[in-house]
Amino acid sequence: MKVMKNLIPLSALFVYDAWRPPQAGMVTLLLFIHFFLSCRTLQAESPSPPSSNWIEKVSSRPVPGLSGVSEIVWAMARPPYGQYDTIALHRITKDSNSTNVSRPVFLFFPGAYLHGEVIIADERYDLRLYLANRGIETWTLDYRTHTLPHEQIRDSRFMQPWTTEVFLEDTAVAADFVRTTSGKQRIFVSGFGRGATFAALMSARYGRGDVNGLILLDGHVLDPPDEEPLYRERQETPEWFADDLERRYLPYPRWLKQLQDILSDPQGPDFLPIHVFANRTEALAHFLYVSPAFGQQGGLSNAKEGYADPLVLARLFLSEDRYWPRVQNHGGFDFRRHLAGSSFDYEKAWRVLNIPLLVFASGNMNKADIPWAERIEYSARATSTQEVQYRLLENWGHLDLLFGTKAQQEVFQPLVEWIENNQLSESKNRGGVGTQ
């Protein structure tokens, strides 16, 4: 039974399957999945349309359990103005009526399938709440994908034009509105996973010298010269343009039901026909650890060794958006694939960018010979700035950086200190794009 335990595939890997790095393990996955189922300029540019097209959807509402912390939500329709072509911004502040113009402003771009809604109202597991409680005004973008239903869609043609560059334009429009509404011309920009890629490229193209600092959380934009891109060609699907969390071997409703069952009865039996684990919570932690999508060495999460709470991650998975544009996937980010048709030289703009950088990388994918952390560090040091702080978190998985048990001490707190230090230096003349 011990051998079987090490080969059981992770149901949750399907959540991240759409842009995972390539690796071995799929044969094992297929053999054993039925066990689980039984249970060219560099001048800064101005985005368009103007900020006045934003509509307030949710007036100030308190964040449950957090005294003085409130949220406001705005939305905006984006070209080509179809049913799902809408983005939104969540502003979270403490004492929202305060006129403190000196407080830092932080704009955050989530990872693929994630969004800006508060799912766990606990500052230990939500960076935005931690920052807001310490006087930092936080904003988070909902991508167009957050407007889609969780039910099965039959026509995904509307997603065909949702390219990386289109989403980058959305992030730039969001940043413009944040500056206008907050009254702060220089803001801090951050992202997680694919959101870190968006944060980096948006700052490179649209920064206009208005990005006070950039925080990359486990995401990259460049491959080191001696590394092959993580991008891989996929089979063409001429009539289908969405990556769906539903997979052939795991119906989406069943995945959600399993998550709900874990939360309602964490000590209940696992979902295997022959029980292997002490309970379903232990099973989820193990599945996360051995995910083939992230190297089978805790690359997705190291909840198995206490770096995350499986119940927190179960709540996260339940809240995810179901769809992501297929045109943006095919493995890790690659300029040659994701921005091949752009008239703007993003790579050159990134290399001449000169703003302070704080960078965190998870270390567990490297244990499986997937050089993930190297890509993140190389991307940061490829810029023109001399102000790079790079932190490699050994034994951490990807999700542990934002939702882990040690994130508050090892990520959130240093991030706040870094923002406060750079906020004090805001008046210094630091060059961004177009000011080199």
Side-chain angles (χ1 to χ4, degrees):
M1 295 304 295
K2 186 174 182 180
V3 174
M4 176 182 174
K5 187 172 180 177
N6 288 332
L7 294 176
I8 293 170
L10 163 69
S11 66
L13 73 89
F14 295 104
V15 174
Y16 295 91
D17 181 62
W19 66 285
R20 68 190 186 192
Q23 70 291 308
M26 291 309 298
V27 173
T28 296
L29 172 65
L30 295 177
L31 288 173
F32 285 90
I33 192 70
H34 67 279
F35 286 114
F36 189 81
L37 292 182
S38 299
C39 350
R40 84 233 299 294
T41 61
L42 296 182
Q43 297 301 313
E45 302 182 26
S46 296
S48 178
S51 300
S52 59
N53 290 348
W54 289 87
I55 299 173
E56 186 174 309
K57 288 186 62 179
V58 178
S59 299
S60 184
R61 63 185 178 193
V63 175
L66 295 177
S67 176
V69 178
S70 59
E71 177 188 29
I72 304 175
V73 183
W74 288 267
M76 177 190 238
R78 296 286 291 143
Y81 306 106
Q83 179 181 359
Y84 302 114
D85 290 306
T86 300
I87 60 175
L89 274 168
H90 299 252
R91 180 194 186 204
I92 299 176
T93 56
K94 191 175 180 68
D95 302 321
S96 59
N97 294 325
S98 171
T99 58
N100 180 11
V101 296
S102 65
R103 67 181 174 192
V105 174
F106 175 87
L107 172 60
F108 184 70
F109 301 130
Y113 300 100
L114 301 179
H115 50 76
E117 293 189 27
V118 176
I119 302 303
I120 303 171
D122 186 330
E123 68 168 26
R124 293 175 299 171
Y125 307 113
D126 192 317
L127 172 63
R128 294 96 43 84
L129 303 183
Y130 186 90
L131 298 183
N133 266 332
R134 285 149 186 82
I136 298 173
E137 180 177 326
T138 73
W139 296 74
T140 308
L141 179 67
D142 284 344
Y143 306 118
R144 303 181 192 212
T145 48
H146 195 51
T147 64
L148 273 65
H150 274 202
E151 292 75 25
Q152 179 70 52
I153 59 174
R154 303 300 176 186
D155 186 347
S156 62
R157 285 175 293 180
F158 65 87
M159 218 176 292
Q160 184 178 10
W162 288 6
T163 63
T164 296
E165 191 158 39
V166 165
F167 273 38
L168 284 173
E169 292 167 357
D170 290 347
T171 65
V173 168
D176 200 47
F177 181 70
V178 168
R179 282 190 287 264
T180 299
T181 307
S182 67
K184 296 285 290 187
Q185 188 61 29
R186 293 174 63 85
I187 64 175
F188 293 90
V189 178
S190 180
F192 173 64
R194 183 55 58 90
T197 303
F198 291 150
L201 297 178
M202 188 279 291
S203 299
R205 180 168 188 175
Y206 298 104
R208 299 196 302 258
D210 298 330
V211 177
N212 203 35
L214 182 61
I215 303 106
L216 304 182
L217 301 172
D218 223 33
H220 71 98
V221 294
L222 295 175
D223 295 307
D226 57 343
E227 295 291 345
E228 290 292 323
L230 296 178
Y231 163 77
R232 293 293 183 271
E233 291 289 347
R234 295 166 68 187
Q235 182 178 355
E236 293 293 330
T237 54
E239 302 300 324
W240 189 250
F241 304 97
D243 276 321
D244 185 349
L245 296 192
E246 173 155 305
R247 290 294 183 264
R248 177 181 177 185
Y249 302 101
L250 184 63
Y252 186 65
R254 181 176 294 185
W255 168 233
L256 296 183
K257 178 65 164 57
Q258 290 171 348
L259 293 171
Q260 292 163 351
D261 289 346
I262 290 170
L263 291 170
S264 63
D265 186 10
Q267 298 303 312
D270 63 38
F271 302 104
L272 301 171
I274 301 175
H275 300 312
V276 175
F277 300 95
N279 54 57
R280 55 189 55 164
T281 304
E282 180 186 304
L284 178 59
H286 179 79
F287 295 157
L288 292 168
Y289 190 90
V290 300
S291 167
F294 287 76
Q296 298 181 311
Q297 297 290 328
L300 179 55
S301 173
N302 197 1
K304 183 178 178 180
E305 296 181 355
Y307 284 79
D309 182 344
L311 300 183
V312 169
L313 298 181
R315 292 170 67 183
L316 169 70
F317 294 145
L318 269 176
S319 75
E320 286 184 309
D321 297 334
R322 177 171 176 174
Y323 299 97
W324 189 257
R326 188 174 176 86
V327 68
Q328 290 192 32
N329 286 318
H330 297 237
F333 176 78
D334 180 60
F335 278 107
R336 290 171 293 179
R337 167 60 176 80
H338 294 100
L339 291 168
S342 177
S343 60
F344 184 83
D345 192 337
Y346 282 94
E347 182 173 355
K348 185 175 182 181
W350 174 250
R351 291 184 181 277
V352 301
L353 188 68
N354 186 15
I355 56 177
L357 283 168
L358 177 63
V359 183
F360 294 85
S362 61
N364 274 356
M365 273 188 276
N366 287 65
K367 294 180 180 180
D369 296 324
I370 300 173
W372 178 251
E374 287 86 346
R375 284 176 164 81
I376 296 169
E377 182 176 14
Y378 178 78
S379 295
R381 301 197 188 281
T383 65
S384 296
T385 182
Q386 300 299 310
E387 300 179 68
V388 177
Q389 290 189 28
Y390 171 75
R391 300 187 180 214
L392 173 61
L393 300 174
E394 298 283 2
N395 300 317
W396 289 50
H398 178 63
L399 295 177
D400 304 337
L401 266 73
L402 273 192
F403 311 105
T405 54
K406 303 176 185 292
Q408 181 176 355
Q409 295 80 19
E410 301 297 330
V411 179
F412 299 177
Q413 183 177 337
L415 194 154
V416 167
E417 293 171 356
W418 186 86
I419 286 177
E420 290 174 344
N421 290 336
N422 281 278
Q423 180 75 2
L424 292 174
S425 304
E426 183 179 4
S427 60
K428 293 182 180 179
N429 182 22
R430 287 196 176 102
V433 171
T435 64
Q436 306 302 316

